[in-house]
Amino acid sequence: MEQRLTPATTASAKPTGFLARTPNRRIAWIALLVVVLDQVTKQIVHHFLHYGEEKVVVDGFFKFVDWGNTGAAWSLFRGNNGILAGIALVALLILFLTRHHFDSRTLLSQVAFGMICGGIVGNLIDRLWAGYVIDFIYFYVEQRSGAEMGFPAFNLADTAICTGVGLIFLITWRSEHRARTEVSSTAVK
């Protein structure tokens, strides 16, 4: 028996394979975009700056640097690159296995998880290939004495992780706030 495709059957057919827009695929594409942008920007920095070199962009406030970090955020646990790479792998595995506990149905949640996973992978690539995380964005204030007081140098992967975590907090707060509002409004009736 031959099946005929009509406009009604083709319009209702869901795309399969590459074209399917599932939450997991969106998360993966966003993560891939973060990894690519992170690695490309780090290569650009390596092209224009040598390791340890700095290029002032706004005097007394912002400069590009080419610094390595074998620790975690704010150089905590410095010198433990291998252990931190292992922790990053475990964190990725845990995020993957527990993703169903979070609301990944919304685009904002998918963006948040994609940013976190992409940021972890971007820094993990640095740890495995360079032996340290490449940081290149540095904000600082120059004191009257000429000394610098700065925020720790960071990169796009760090920015993606922090932004993704911030979005998760916002999404969680918003959904809890919405649930409390619904409970209180039904209690009033």
Side-chain angles (χ1 to χ4, degrees), residues 103-170:
D103 182 13
S104 63
R105 292 169 291 163
T106 66
L107 181 60
L108 193 57
S109 295
Q110 294 162 17
V111 168
F113 280 106
M115 292 178 83
I116 293 168
C117 291
I120 292 171
V121 170
N123 282 340
L124 181 60
I125 289 170
D126 291 355
R127 289 190 188 284
L128 296 176
W129 271 272
Y132 54 85
V133 173
I134 301 161
D135 291 327
F136 63 91
I137 301 168
Y138 184 64
F139 288 97
Y140 67 100
V141 176
E142 195 169 305
Q143 298 174 329
R144 288 182 187 161
S145 66
E148 292 178 4
M149 183 173 63
F151 187 80
F154 60 98
N155 57 47
L156 291 187
D158 298 334
T159 303
I161 293 168
C162 291
T163 303
V165 169
L167 287 173
I168 295 293
F169 282 130
L170 180 66

Side-chain angles (χ1 to χ4, degrees), residues 70-92:
T70 59
W74 291 280
S75 295
L76 295 173
F77 312 112
R78 187 177 310 173
N80 292 298
N81 191 58
I83 293 169
L84 292 170
I87 291 171
L89 285 170
V90 170
L92 278 172

Side-chain angles (χ1 to χ4, degrees), residues 49 53-58 62-65:
L49 297 175
E53 193 176 356
E54 305 173 355
K55 174 68 176 157
V56 174
V57 178
V58 178
F62 173 68
K63 58 180 146 183
F64 286 117
V65 297

